[in-house]
Amino acid sequence: MSKHDTLQLDGQRLADAWAKTLLTVLNGSDRAEVKKDEAEANALRIHIKTAGHSFYSFDFKCSYVDSREVKVELIDVERDGVSVDERTDIIQTMVDDYVRHIHECAQQLHALTTS
């Protein structure tokens, strides 16, 4: 792999593939939306709504470092439409779980991103 290994893929096609694949790795009743980042060609915006009665939603930015590696950043956590402190133990546990799912999704899409 060269130092110039960059992601060469249409952003909308990538977002669509992510949306489909992410649903297979999340908890069955969680919902996710994936959109291409309008400001960065190598990034996606991921919005996840939790299942159940907690009404939490999580916003992540997922950037491709290269065609195989992603960097995931938490942007915001809301409960019932209001931003909440993401430093609590329960939210940190949920964030860690979703970050793991996002990395798992990226691994499943290696065939698409490295072709």
Side-chain angles (χ1 to χ4, degrees):
M1 195 179 318
S2 73
K3 287 272 187 210
H4 302 289
D5 176 26
T6 57
L7 185 65
Q8 301 294 322
L9 191 62
D10 172 72
Q12 189 57 54
R13 184 170 164 228
L14 183 64
D16 292 345
W18 264 84
K20 190 180 298 180
T21 305
L22 191 56
L23 288 177
T24 68
V25 297
L26 288 177
N27 299 325
S29 49
D30 286 346
R31 295 287 166 247
E33 290 178 50
V34 182
K35 297 180 180 170
K36 65 182 183 174
D37 188 303
E38 296 299 332
E40 292 180 49
N42 68 328
L44 298 167
R45 296 292 178 151
I46 300 171
H47 179 77
I48 298 173
K49 290 183 180 178
T50 60
H53 301 291
S54 63
F55 301 108
Y56 283 113
S57 65
F58 297 81
D59 290 308
F60 295 95
K61 178 179 176 183
C62 178
S63 305
Y64 274 87
V65 177
D66 58 34
S67 65
R68 299 180 72 78
E69 183 185 349
V70 294
K71 179 177 122 187
V72 181
E73 299 171 70
L74 176 66
I75 303 299
D76 189 34
V77 180
E78 293 184 352
R79 183 172 190 175
D80 214 10
V82 178
S83 289
V84 296
D85 182 359
E86 64 263 7
R87 295 170 294 191
T88 65
D89 287 345
I90 189 162
I91 291 178
Q92 278 303 303
T93 299
M94 294 170 79
V95 167
D96 291 345
D97 193 40
Y98 286 129
V99 168
R100 192 170 48 255
H101 288 316
I102 291 168
H103 280 285
E104 187 179 335
C105 184
Q107 286 180 337
Q108 289 189 24
L109 291 170
H110 275 177
L112 180 65
T113 59
T114 57
S115 59

